[in-house]
Amino acid sequence: QVQLVESGGGMVQPGGSLRLSCSASGFIFGHKDMSWVRQGPGKAPEWVGYINMGGQYTDYGDSVKGRFTISRDNAVNALYLQMNNLKPEDAGHYYCATGALSDLGNWGQGTQVTVSS
């Protein structure tokens, strides 16, 4: 079955960086668009961005444009989220998911990101 396992979360100071990873199995990874979604405390889930199946095209939510970068390595079934210039409002649980914004499918269990001084 589809399995998505996120890692790389932790605590970072405002202005710092983190790189999240998502290891995928149970499906043909290179045949799926992939997204990152986050949920802050007391907030609704927010789509962060996506990358197309070949890795040539990305799109991001307005709140992270210019600071976050999504990439993937289809050879090792891995998805990444590089987060720079982190702000307190970026704190939350980060999930990788199959699909793009309009057709999100399976989600992982997520990894926690805390941004605090």
Side-chain angles (χ1 to χ4, degrees), residues 4-11 18-22 36-40 79 81 83 90-96 107-114:
L4 300 168
V5 180
E6 301 90 340
S7 61
M11 180 178 287
L18 276 177
R19 188 192 195 210
L20 306 184
S21 299
C22 172
W36 285 97
V37 183
R38 70 184 182 185
Q39 187 168 19
L79 178 73
L81 178 65
M83 304 185 294
D90 293 318
H93 219 65
Y94 282 70
Y95 303 88
C96 65
W107 295 36
Q109 293 298 307
T111 186
Q112 183 67 32
V113 172
T114 302

Side-chain angles (χ1 to χ4, degrees), residues 74-92:
N74 288 345
V76 296
N77 293 351
L79 178 73
Y80 305 104
L81 178 65
Q82 178 66 44
M83 304 185 294
N84 296 329
N85 190 22
L86 281 158
K87 304 176 181 181
E89 53 264 40
D90 293 318

Side-chain angles (χ1 to χ4, degrees):
Q1 72 276 21
V2 173
Q3 189 168 15
L4 300 168
V5 180
E6 301 90 340
S7 61
M11 180 178 287
V12 64
Q13 292 186 342
S17 297
L18 276 177
R19 188 192 195 210
L20 306 184
S21 299
C22 172
S23 177
S25 61
F27 64 104
I28 302 174
F29 182 71
H31 289 189
K32 282 281 191 180
D33 296 338
M34 296 293 296
S35 288
W36 285 97
V37 183
R38 70 184 182 185
Q39 187 168 19
K43 298 180 181 179
E46 177 189 10
W47 176 76
V48 173
Y50 104 107
I51 187 166
N52 76 321
M53 61 184 73
Q56 306 96 336
Y57 183 74
T58 55
D59 194 19
Y60 301 92
D62 288 342
S63 62
V64 306
K65 276 182 182 175
R67 300 187 298 122
F68 289 13
T69 303
I70 297 174
S71 61
R72 66 191 295 162
D73 186 343
N74 288 345
V76 296
N77 293 351
L79 178 73
Y80 305 104
L81 178 65
Q82 178 66 44
M83 304 185 294
N84 296 329
N85 190 22
L86 281 158
K87 304 176 181 181
E89 53 264 40
D90 293 318
H93 219 65
Y94 282 70
Y95 303 88
C96 65
T98 58
L101 175 59
S102 60
D103 63 348
L104 291 174
N106 300 92
W107 295 36
Q109 293 298 307
T111 186
Q112 183 67 32
V113 172
T114 302
V115 185
S116 175
S117 54

